[in-house]
Amino acid sequence: MSYTETIGSRTYRFADLKTLLAKASPQRSGDQLAAVAAASEEERVAARMALAQVPLRTFLNEALIPYESDEVTRLVIDDHSPQAFAEISHLTVGDFRNWLLSSTTDADALTRIAAGLTPEMVAAVSKLMRNQDLIAAARKRPVITRFRNTVGLPGHMSVRLQPNHPTDDVKGIAASMLDGLMYGCGDAMIGINPASDNLAAITRLLLMIDDFRLRYQVPTQSCVLTHVTNTIAAIEKGAPVDLVFQSIAGTEKANAGFGISLALLQEAYEAGLSLNRGTVGNNLMYFETGQGSALSADAHFGVDQQTCEVRAYAVARKFNPFLVNTVVGFIGPEYLYDGKQITRAGLEDHFCGKLLGVPMGCDICYTNHAEADQDDMDNLLTLLGVAGINFIMGIPGADDVMLNYQSTSFHDALYVRDVLGLRRAPEFEEWLESMQITDARGALLSASPHQPLLEGANDWMGTV
């Protein structure tokens, strides 16, 4: 089905829904690289005007990537709930935007309709929204998950403590981990990107974190971000695996490039569940995504990068994840050129994930060859804090020495908590107070060698 819109004396024609969505997207370098972007701002406006008039039902009848050739499309269609969709089934994309922003649409309403939304519907409505719209609507929709603590409660924001090391040196990682905990970070998880996929090295890191967690009774969860097949192997060998990690994308071909399928993710999910390591819940999958991954794998099929990204959230949603992380500026300026594009993408991703019922966090980051700097990251951090982000990264000095990119620091987390009044996961906050790291309000106490965590730190480091 084709779509048209006239502006003045000029009529714009869009061959199909896929083209219309791409032309309606805000400007970004990845869509220009893929040759799917609007040729002018006027064409972009025309596409948005046409998109606003498209009934939401259309997305159930016009697949962007054929059902027969893509298992993500099949997942989206087969898992769609007509009952949940019924409440909004009469709306166009433009009407849906107005409904989302209405003062009468609350968290209960957004929760009711989530199973009736497809990624394409959600991507479409985001293209009609200003940044403030994305923030206002996402803030209405908390997504709460539990493993050893509770993440995503309104008024809370968690931090993934990321103590990476370029050679996987266990003592170096342990030192960064202690540093982050003393700044009150780590309630989302302690998550390490290993420098290698050596199973013995991965197991050694898992054992180190688990030994520390048990010794100090830390109510958090660990993850070593290796390929899901390595995690399954580690589980089979008896390693203490908490969260199961995998990078995912929005098309079957892009996921094949990661060496995964829905069936393999199901196997990993069941392996994680079999360990029964959660204490307050059993959300245990940790997924990472990022706009541009499908394009970089030549697996986007002409779909714009943001819509491809939102399709990845449908994959995540299938497996009841604990955390989903859009690593927003990591892939590089070929996909998100500058701070403005990174900011917009981060707000889009958070809004779209939350609308689908996914526990969204964001690695607020950029590579050193992007037209961005730490001021851009400060802006996005503040905006996402207002929007109700579930978690951010905590990295020593905001500079990851293993992955070689810039993110957010332990101090950045303190800043956003302070200015927005955001608390940590309640179980973790109680632990920090018991360790004399924070007071009852969650504020850091002055460091003292007599704090329980520091008193035994040297002895523990000697065992690492």
Side-chain angles (χ1 to χ4, degrees), residues 163-221:
N164 294 345
H165 192 280
T167 63
D168 288 341
D169 180 79
V170 179
K171 286 188 181 295
I173 290 171
S176 291
M177 183 178 72
L178 284 167
D179 188 26
L181 288 167
M182 291 303 297
Y183 279 101
C185 295
D187 51 339
M189 69 167 172
I190 300 169
I192 302 166
N193 298 85
S196 79
D197 277 334
N198 178 276
L199 188 57
I202 290 163
T203 302
R204 186 161 59 248
L205 294 175
L206 287 168
L207 288 169
M208 180 272 289
I209 300 174
D210 206 52
D211 175 69
F212 179 87
R213 181 186 66 79
L214 291 170
R215 180 175 299 206
Y216 291 97
Q217 298 182 308
V218 191
T220 191
Q221 36 284 320

Side-chain angles (χ1 to χ4, degrees), residues 5 14 17 20-28 43-56 59 91-101 120-135 137 304 306-307 344 347-348 351-352 355:
E5 186 63 43
F14 308 98
L17 190 56
L20 181 63
L21 286 167
K23 301 292 187 183
S25 289
Q27 183 180 22
R28 63 203 55 198
E43 184 182 26
R44 182 170 288 113
V45 169
R48 289 175 180 170
M49 291 171 66
L51 181 59
Q53 300 170 54
V54 174
L56 291 179
F59 294 92
L91 300 179
T92 65
V93 176
D95 294 333
F96 185 38
R97 173 190 175 275
N98 295 338
W99 184 86
L100 289 170
L101 296 174
E120 292 82 2
M121 293 176 194
V122 173
V125 76
S126 75
K127 297 174 193 298
L128 306 184
M129 302 177 91
R130 292 169 54 186
N131 286 1
Q132 67 172 249
D133 300 336
L134 298 173
I135 293 167
D304 68 271
Q306 188 241 346
T307 302
R344 174 69 189 190
L347 294 175
E348 287 172 347
F351 161 80
C352 292
L355 217 56

Side-chain angles (χ1 to χ4, degrees), residues 390-402:
N390 277 31
F391 70 100
I392 63 168
M393 303 298 109
I395 296 171
D399 184 2
D400 193 298
V401 295
M402 195 281 281

Side-chain angles (χ1 to χ4, degrees), residues 358-400:
V358 171
M360 289 302 297
C362 184
D363 190 341
I364 301 162
C365 64
Y366 64 100
T367 57
N368 288 313
H369 61 311
E371 290 294 321
D373 59 27
Q374 212 63 40
D375 286 338
D376 295 307
M377 301 306 103
D378 287 349
N379 293 342
L380 180 54
L381 170 64
T382 306
L383 294 172
L384 285 171
V386 174
I389 194 81
N390 277 31
F391 70 100
I392 63 168
M393 303 298 109
I395 296 171
D399 184 2
D400 193 298

